[in-house]
């Protein structure tokens, strides 16, 4: 399930976004900036998204029952997909709409000082939230590059907040540049263009999140390092002749289902096979505590065992 560090990341982001949203809308009301309205919408959507993620974490922790024998861990992946839809439809869609509306019917901007003050404060707050998310994400990265680490991550809460905060920081700089250029050149269209760019950034992040959530939701395997480790552990068992197939499914960030198909040594008795299975399960569970369900299947024991021929 999602860890306490995931909750810490979510609460840090939610607190920052709620405070920022209020100040952005105040500044937008005073100055009439389209980019500030888009940024306010962005922060409100982000706050709502974090509440949805917390709901997903809570729902995923329900115990297994008869209708869901493997538990509800994939609830988290479903709600992460909902977050992606919200970012795309509300965050990206509303920002692009606001920008286009401002381009069609531009209105002059008032004193930009409020915008600069709010955006500067927001950059520091979002930067803090982004730093918290990055600190939680980096230990899971290992030797992978940034994109590989996101792609292979099984906990969507951390990379969702990280991507959201990255989009937020980029959006703030876009808004700042748009407002600055609008006043520098006395051109009201820069503000609307900035709003559209913010919407495009949000749409790109939403598509990335949807893609990763879909992979987890439809039954993604455990990471390649875990699979290689399982194969290596299996081969250390004296009674195992060959590892034929390893099937895994990620049921939750810290819960994996394993189906292991192996061929045992031909001279083993039924009791020895049972002891080998028990030993192998213990080794796998000790090395990989996230593997909660282990199913070991013997491949064609009867076909591979040679029996003595009867005397004629």
């Amino acid at each position: 399930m999602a860890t306490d560090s995931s909750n810490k990341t979510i609460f840090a982001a939610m607190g920052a976004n709620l405070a920022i949203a209020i100040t952005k809308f105040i500044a937008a009301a005073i100055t009439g900036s389209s980019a500030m309205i888009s940024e306010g919408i962005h922060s409100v959507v982000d706050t709502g998204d974090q509440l949805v993620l917390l709901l997903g974490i809570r729902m995923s922790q329900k115990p297994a029952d008869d209708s869901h024998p493997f538990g509800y861990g994939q609830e988290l992946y479903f709600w992460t997909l909902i977050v992606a839809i919200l970012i795309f439809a509300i965050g990206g869609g509303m920002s692009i709409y606001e920008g286009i509306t401002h381009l069609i019917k531009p209105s002059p901007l008032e004193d930009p000082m409020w915008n600069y003050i709010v955006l500067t404060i927001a950059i520091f707050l979002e930067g803090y939230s982004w730093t918290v998310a990055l600190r939680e994400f980096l230990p899971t990265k290992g030797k992978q590059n940034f994109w590989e680490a996101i792609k292979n991550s099984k906990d969507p809460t951390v990379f969702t907040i990280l991507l959201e905060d990255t989009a937020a920081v980029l959006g703030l700089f876009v808004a700042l540049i748009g407002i600055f250029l609008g006043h520098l050149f006395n051109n009201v269209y820069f503000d609307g263009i900035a709003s559209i760019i913010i919407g495009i950034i949000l749409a790109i992040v939403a598509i990335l999140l949807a893609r990763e959530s879909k992979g987890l939701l439809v039954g993604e395997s455990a990471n390649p390092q875990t699979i290689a480790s399982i194969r290596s552990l299996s081969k250390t068992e004296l009674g195992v002749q060959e590892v034929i197939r390893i099937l895994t499914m990620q049921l939750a960030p810290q819960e994996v289902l394993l189906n292991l198909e192996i061929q045992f040594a031909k001279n083993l008795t039924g009791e020895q096979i049972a002891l080998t299975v028990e030993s192998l399960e213990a080794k796998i569970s000790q090395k990989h505590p996230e593997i909660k369900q282990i199913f070991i299947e013997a491949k064609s024991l009867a076909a591979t065992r040679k029996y003595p021929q009867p005397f004629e």
Side-chain angles (χ1 to χ4, degrees), residues 276-286 294-296:
T276 301
V277 168
E278 186 178 338
S279 174
L280 183 54
E281 287 180 346
K283 283 184 178 179
I284 293 173
S285 297
Q286 184 177 10
I294 301 176
F295 300 93
I296 297 179

Side-chain angles (χ1 to χ4, degrees), residues 205-219:
V205 168
I207 291 169
L208 291 175
L209 285 177
R211 179 181 176 182
E212 294 307 307
S213 300
K214 188 201 82 167
L216 291 165
L217 193 58
V218 300

